[in-house]
Amino acid sequence: MAQSGIPIIDINSADEATIGKQLVDAAEEHGFIYIRNLGQDISVEQVDEAFELSRRLFDAPIEEKVACAIQTNNRGWGGLHSETLDPRTQKIGDFKEVFNIGLFKKGQPQQPLPPAIVPDQARLEAFRDVCTAMCTKLLRLIGNGLGVGDFFAQAHEIKPGDECDTILRLLRYPPPSSPSSSPSPADAVRAGAHSDYGSITLLFRLRGQAGLEVQTTAENTWAPVPVQPPGTERDPAPPILVNVGDLLSYWTNGLLRSTVHRVVFGGSGVVEGESATDPRYSIAFFSSPSPSTELGVVPSERVRNFVPRGGDGGNPYAQRKVMRADEHLRMRLAETYGDLYKKNES
């Protein structure tokens, strides 16, 4: 068990029924899961290459990134403070820079990319592909663990004409010492408290870079999530952190937890061997179903027998508000990028 209590699961160590049950148990209790032993799914070299491309993209001239500014299709570049993930409490937007990469069609991105990485767009597509395959595997295992087979995996299959809201997100958090990112007011955060909008998320992090915290079941209590949890120090790369998003929680009537989390500058988010003084890079892959997917409760005996917990750890999205995947995404994005969406609706 890691410091935050998040389980570590070797996803290739047993039969699919056993792994599926382990994943469901972890997702019910924590909403977050470390997965390891990924060599046959995602290689260390592929992850290293993705981080190298991320650095190159963010190092591109500002005018090249501005030309790729994020749009209401949730693709493109966002600079410091362009997002406010916790608009209820944040006084200033997130201290981070992002680039969202959507679906490729016939080898071509369906959005502008900075010239600095255009020659390597095939490598970005390849990384999206292995992340998609990993999510399909996890969704199938979770479905098996709940007794609904391939239900979740099939809901994420790309259909002809489907816009596909699945996003590969590159992130860079400038160091606190940078004049452009010096936190003010004192309670500023690198990324505001939020739950993820889609079904499941893969999070790739670099050794030694602190900051991620999860909200525990005791409301307003935060626990750090180490990059390299105890027992994985000799692994060739840090385990991937997987978390449940709002839609998987909707589908399971709250059985699987869409846990609130944030990224902070320091404090309790720093564990031994990690530091928050340097730039922080991460890569997130947000898996989402077809936009028109209905979010009714799945016919699982375990879900039927589940008694919803009160408050769900403070997640404001624990209560169902919409019935389709695209409705939920637009609701969340409109809160995060308020001005952008108001401008397009005026």
Side-chain angles (χ1 to χ4, degrees), residues 244-258 312 318:
V244 171
D246 295 342
L247 302 189
L248 208 57
S249 187
Y250 277 2
W251 263 320
T252 60
N253 203 28
L255 170 73
L256 305 186
R257 297 178 63 85
S258 182
D312 199 33

Side-chain angles (χ1 to χ4, degrees), residues 2-6 34 211-214 222-226 268-271 274:
Q3 182 167 339
S4 53
I6 297 172
Y34 289 106
L212 180 64
E213 294 182 334
V214 296
W222 294 93
V225 183
S268 61
V270 178
V271 298
E274 297 182 358

